[in-house]
Amino acid sequence: MDSNMSGRKILVTGASGFIGSHLCRRLLQMGNEVVGISRKEQKKNDTCSLWMKLDLKDSKAVMQGLESVKPDMIFHLASHVVGARDLERVVPTFEDNLASSVNILRAAAHVGCQKLVLTGSLEEPEIGDRFAVPSSPYAAAKFAASAYGRMFHALYGTPVTIARLFMVYGPGQSDLSKLIPYVILSLLRGEVPKLSSGHRLVDWIFVKDVIDGFLAIANASNIDGHTIDLGSGRASSIQDIVQRIFSLMSAEVQPSFGSIPDRPMEQVRLADIADTKVKTGWEASTSLEVGLQRTIDWYRSRYG
């Protein structure tokens, strides 16, 4: 899988984020020159060869940035990841998820590169369902960004592939309001996490498997313009995940399901793992038990 992934100049947006930092570290270890883009100033560390502070909403700055780097490959991971349905989320998700993606696509089409990987989301409606309605401002922005990616490939020949991510979890997730870190840290503090009903079924995928999936997409042939699902293909309810964490941490309290309301229009989708395996050779390999234990160990070592 990794045979062709060395000695390249690779640009990663969202490089300081949860998934981006894992990806950059792996790419750097494999012998690539990794240019990380972040909206905040970053010090040189073990994840990137070079950091570039850049506002992806600024189309001129994005064009200038890509012209200066001229990357062989681009992974566009930068995103305003929030599933809230509030009206106040419309503009931030439009700017950070859609406008930024269009700016990256336009600059990549102008500068040229061997591969551009956009990150999609399980929240996006299925392609081909003409009656589909996005369930949140985030889902709408991601859905539109994927459509732009397919358009850039079809119209301008831009080598775009959309990696559609399912529910990624694992060590290093800095948004501590997300379910898994929130539950783990609540238990480490001796608190009972406040939860929704927990009935929603979710396709969970460990972050290391996602990074393997990105590399498989980067090396695969004849998938430009395609959407590749990166998920496990299996559904586990939020209740099941929470109960597993409680068990692994030997918690002496019981979870408080139903103490906060469920969000409207929650989506239940599974990754098409058969299609992904045929097109890239990749499939998830980390079980929930192993992935959750590694995640718990990481948070315990830093916050315990």
Side-chain angles (χ1 to χ4, degrees):
M1 180 193 304
D2 299 349
S3 59
N4 298 323
M5 290 294 293
S6 63
R8 297 188 181 189
K9 182 182 287 188
I10 303 176
L11 185 143
V12 181
T13 74
S16 61
F18 167 44
I19 301 171
S21 59
H22 280 272
L23 176 62
C24 289
R25 192 173 289 111
R26 177 84 73 86
L27 292 171
L28 196 63
Q29 290 169 350
M30 291 163 58
N32 297 286
E33 181 182 352
V34 182
V35 180
I37 288 182
S38 174
R39 73 184 70 194
K40 297 179 180 178
E41 199 76 44
Q42 301 288 334
K43 295 180 180 179
K44 187 174 181 180
N45 54 25
D46 65 344
T47 58
C48 290
S49 315
L50 173 70
W51 282 100
M52 180 182 295
K53 181 183 176 182
L54 191 62
D55 183 355
L56 297 179
K57 299 189 296 292
D58 185 336
S59 60
K60 183 177 179 181
V62 172
M63 183 67 75
Q64 291 174 341
L66 264 66
E67 285 179 336
S68 68
V69 174
K70 291 185 172 58
D72 301 316
M73 187 175 295
I74 301 168
F75 289 92
H76 178 44
L77 275 63
S79 182
H80 184 73
V81 184
V82 60
R85 274 58 171 162
D86 311 56
L87 184 62
E88 291 74 19
R89 301 294 183 182
V90 173
V91 172
T93 51
F94 168 77
E95 292 178 340
D96 291 332
N97 296 339
L98 180 54
S100 67
S101 296
V102 172
N103 289 339
I104 287 288
L105 285 161
R106 175 174 167 267
H110 173 75
V111 174
C113 65
Q114 298 166 10
K115 176 79 78 172
L116 167 56
V117 180
L118 293 183
T119 49
S121 170
L122 72 90
E123 295 290 337
E124 297 178 53
E126 300 292 345
I127 298 172
D129 182 356
R130 64 193 182 96
F131 298 109
V133 177
S135 59
S136 66
Y138 171 79
K142 280 292 189 179
F143 191 42
S146 294
Y148 266 98
R150 292 189 293 273
M151 185 271 285
F152 265 80
H153 170 255
L155 193 57
Y156 307 119
T158 311
V160 183
T161 302
I162 297 129
R164 188 184 187 210
L165 306 186
F166 284 71
M167 193 65 78
V168 186
Y169 73 98
Q173 191 166 15
S174 58
D175 185 349
L176 304 183
S177 67
K178 297 298 183 184
L179 176 72
I180 289 177
Y182 167 67
V183 172
I184 293 170
L185 292 174
S186 294
L187 295 180
L188 289 175
R189 291 191 296 262
E191 301 170 359
V192 179
K194 295 180 180 180
L195 303 159
S196 66
S197 70
H199 296 316
R200 183 190 180 191
L201 294 169
V202 179
D203 186 335
W204 305 87
I205 180 74
F206 191 57
V207 65
K208 178 185 178 297
D209 288 340
V210 170
I211 304 309
D212 290 340
F214 277 135
L215 299 179
I217 288 171
N219 279 319
S221 303
N222 303 317
I223 60 169
D224 291 346
H226 291 240
T227 295
I228 305 296
D229 285 356
L230 297 183
S232 69
R234 296 180 295 274
S236 295
S237 70
I238 289 172
Q239 280 196 8
D240 178 47
I241 294 296
V242 171
Q243 295 286 10
R244 284 172 183 262
I245 294 171
F246 270 61
S247 176
L248 289 167
M249 295 183 70
S250 302
E252 297 179 355
V253 295
Q254 293 298 315
S256 180
F257 292 114
S259 55
I260 60 174
D262 290 343
R263 291 191 304 206
M265 296 177 67
E266 289 283 25
Q267 304 300 299
V268 177
R269 296 192 178 97
L270 296 180
D272 186 344
I273 57 175
D275 181 70
T276 299
K277 181 70 180 293
V278 167
K279 291 176 178 175
T280 69
W282 174 90
E283 60 184 351
S285 61
T286 306
S287 69
L288 269 175
E289 196 80 8
V290 170
L292 288 173
Q293 186 63 65
R294 290 179 183 173
T295 306
I296 290 166
D297 292 344
W298 188 88
Y299 283 101
R300 182 175 276 144
S301 71
R302 283 155 181 80
Y303 299 94

